[in-house]
Amino acid sequence: ELEGMNGQTNAGIWRVLLGRPRRAWIGDRFLHGAGLAVMLLALGALAALILDAVLDGAGRLSWSFLTSFPSRRAADAGILPALVGSAYVIVLTAAMALPLGVAAAIHLEEYGARTRWSRIVEINIANLAGVPSIIYGLLGLWLFVRTLALGRSVIAGAATLALLVLPVVILSTREALRAVPKSLREGSYALGATKWQTIWHQVLPSALPGILTGLILALSRAIGETAPLITIGALTYVPFVPDGLRSPFTVLPIQIFNWVSRPQAGFLQNAAAGILVLLALLLVMNAAAILLRDRAQKQRTA
């Protein structure tokens, strides 16, 4: 009887051992297929949207379209003021958000103590990354346009977008700083370097690829924002190029929105062409940041 029981027990164990890998294999294949299907669905939708924009707007792309001013006639309308305004706003946004975000991340990660107050600050920064952009537009309207009397200008729009992307820059920079090995800091301290010298000469260069990745994500969000800029008073029709930080302005998303809201088919073609220009600008900007990131990473590992 004991031998029979032992045989049944061993058989049960073997069934369990043989059954688990099969169930795990089936579950793994199911999850792999589901993830692949979702990815293909998303890529298919994106490809369909891009193809529709190319078919509608490729015929309007020309040098005159890029260098002409808006017009009431669709055939004569261009995007020069919006293109220059977008360049102004994005450059100023990066110039304000990057140093502030990196400095805040360094303070929280390298100097800040792990206290209850610091945890509250970290939670609020993470929450601010998910706040709707229209809220930042209302904040920019109150703070920059009215309180600081900057008016509905390029600098006010860039400052509003800098507030919008600042949490993303802070969070990504903190993650990049955390990824730097502690042994690098300890080796620098052992050679007599101060804390700031260690951060400036060792930690920041090592974390630069991650910081630039966060900046890419932040500016990619900022370049397509419309709601906060409309809230602070960015114009939908600008027949001139911005000539300074206090100049009125418009950006490509607002110009595209203006054209889409018109019933004429010609303006819809202009909107599609503007979408293609916006995508090209985004790709060029991201490519430049990626090249800088890869170059910094290669120099660090060389």
Side-chain angles (χ1 to χ4, degrees), residues 239-262:
F240 54 86
V241 174
D243 57 358
L245 300 182
R246 302 297 294 267
S247 174
F249 73 104
T250 191
V251 291
L252 279 172
I254 295 179
Q255 184 64 70
I256 293 169
F257 172 77
N258 183 27
W259 282 335
V260 169
S261 63
R262 299 190 179 189

Side-chain angles (χ1 to χ4, degrees), residues 14-35:
W14 279 109
R15 283 196 297 271
V16 171
L17 292 176
L18 292 175
R20 283 181 178 175
R22 182 174 180 81
R23 289 196 298 270
W25 181 84
I26 293 174
D28 179 69
R29 290 299 177 182
F30 174 76
L31 291 177
H32 176 73

Side-chain angles (χ1 to χ4, degrees), residues 98 207-217 289 292-294 296:
L98 184 61
L208 185 59
I211 295 173
L212 290 177
T213 300
L215 183 64
I216 292 171
L217 296 175
L292 291 175
R293 182 191 66 186
D294 293 344

